[in-house]
Amino acid sequence: AQSVTQPDIHITVSEGASLELRCNYSYGATPYLFWYVQSPGQGLQLLLKYFSGDTLVQGIKGFEAEFKRSQSSFNLRKPSVHWSDAAEYFCAVGDNYGQNFVFGPGTRLSVLP
Amino acid sequence: SQTIHQWPATLVQPVGSPLSLECTVEGTSNPNLYWYRQAAGRGLQLLFYSVGIGQISSEVPQNLSASRPQDRQFILSSKKLLLSDSGFYLCAWNTDRGTEAFFGQGTRLTVV
């Protein structure tokens, strides 16, 4: 079974600074990888996904993530953080049957003005 | 287009009372359906998933059960709620072959 770790529980950055949220996964086959964002009291919104092909994927709201098979990582990045990016971010891995998603514990992002 | 509906949005229930949370999906057929729970300050825990009518897989032993009486309906139930059942419950769906999961807006359950 697959698993996901997000080493950082809480990250604080200043507005305008760059951001990188870490995600490591464990899965025996080629993974399907996702990043979701959750605002307080809301459901989850998909930021981006990786299925195959180019290992650098672009998402919504200026986010991107890079799949590194050798490191079993799928880190999320943004060059300049906005105050509205403050939220909880979840990395997820799905199996290739699309029937089992596992989420990481989440990283809470705070943005300082 | 596909949409997912989850209700109620908030619920306060006494300990020992029953529970029924409903989730329906529109605009697709034979979806995979999921129930997740998010406890305060914690990540998402997969509770149940279903790949078809009447087919339920449970990920963790607990006080809850799930049913799928129709193709696009997924129900989370409990006969007697515990304080530890409090949390944020999310329903999600996807199709086969590794597509992303789409989430409902969640139900905030407080057991008092």
Side-chain angles (χ1 to χ4, degrees):
Chain A
Q2 59 267 47
S3 66
V4 180
T5 57
Q6 293 179 247
D8 304 305
I9 297 174
H10 185 202
I11 285 182
T12 300
V13 300
S14 298
E15 191 168 20
S18 63
L19 172 70
E20 182 169 31
L21 302 182
R22 295 183 291 167
C23 170
N24 293 96
Y25 69 90
S26 174
Y27 184 58
T30 299
Y32 292 86
L33 296 162
F34 310 87
W35 274 101
Y36 286 85
V37 61
Q38 183 184 33
S39 298
Q42 299 295 312
L44 276 69
Q45 181 184 24
L46 181 71
L47 285 176
L48 46 77
K49 60 188 178 185
Y50 171 79
F51 289 167
S52 63
D54 193 348
T55 56
L56 183 63
V57 293
Q58 302 296 321
I60 62 171
K61 304 184 179 185
F63 286 92
E64 67 177 26
E66 186 172 12
F67 170 56
K68 293 185 177 180
R69 184 186 300 274
S70 62
Q71 299 178 19
S72 297
S73 69
F74 189 56
N75 294 348
L76 182 71
R77 301 193 293 249
K78 186 170 184 178
S80 178
V81 171
H82 188 261
W83 64 267
S84 60
D85 293 324
E88 187 106 24
Y89 292 80
F90 293 93
C91 181
V93 58
D95 65 23
N96 57 359
Y97 295 101
Q99 295 174 355
N100 195 1
F101 284 87
V102 174
F103 284 79
T107 297
R108 185 161 62 91
L109 173 66
S110 297
V111 180
L112 299 176
Chain B
S1 63
Q2 303 92 347
T3 56
I4 179 169
H5 302 281
Q6 189 180 339
W7 68 91
T10 59
L11 190 60
V12 180
Q13 290 284 97
V15 168
S17 65
L19 173 73
S20 181
L21 302 181
E22 190 162 343
C23 172
T24 59
V25 180
E26 296 177 358
T28 188
S29 60
N30 196 32
N32 300 316
L33 295 169
Y34 307 83
W35 278 112
Y36 288 88
R37 177 170 59 200
Q38 186 176 28
R42 300 179 62 182
L44 290 161
Q45 179 186 34
L46 179 62
L47 302 176
F48 302 95
Y49 73 94
S50 171
V51 300
I53 296 174
Q55 301 178 62
I56 309 295
S57 296
S58 174
E59 291 297 300
V60 292
Q62 58 207 323
N63 185 43
L64 303 170
S65 63
S67 62
R68 185 170 177 173
Q70 300 180 43
D71 180 46
R72 289 168 288 180
Q73 183 184 32
F74 204 26
I75 298 173
L76 182 69
S77 304
S78 174
K79 292 182 179 179
K80 289 185 177 181
L81 283 169
L82 307 172
L83 286 175
S84 57
D85 292 324
S86 293
F88 192 54
Y89 289 82
L90 288 158
C91 181
W93 73 273
N94 78 329
T95 58
D96 285 338
R97 301 305 169 188
T99 58
E100 64 267 31
F102 298 92
F103 285 82
Q105 289 302 296
T107 295
R108 172 73 59 193
L109 172 66
T110 304
V111 183
V112 296

